[in-house]
Amino acid sequence: MHILSLHYPDDLLITSGKSPQALEAELTFLLAVKLFELRRLSLGKADFNVSSTSLV
């Protein structure tokens, strides 16, 4: 599996009101959703564990 490193501004972290781990989990989820919408990722491949972090 490959790793994607994404730089984001501190403002995004501050305005989200989330911890860095929660924000990164949400961004990972949103990327998977978008790739699924574009039919570039299957539902099975989009499966990842985010149960330890709240996305709300």
Side-chain angles (χ1 to χ4, degrees), residues 4-49:
L4 172 67
S5 178
L6 179 66
H7 298 272
Y8 54 87
D10 291 334
D11 292 0
L12 182 60
L13 187 59
I14 293 167
T15 58
S16 74
K18 299 177 185 291
S19 70
Q21 296 82 8
L23 179 60
E24 290 165 13
E26 183 175 20
L27 293 173
T28 301
F29 174 76
L30 293 172
L31 175 60
V33 168
K34 188 60 181 179
L35 290 173
F36 179 75
E37 284 178 356
L38 296 172
R39 301 190 188 281
R40 297 182 62 197
L41 188 66
S42 69
L43 189 56
K45 297 275 185 181
D47 185 31
F48 56 93
N49 184 7

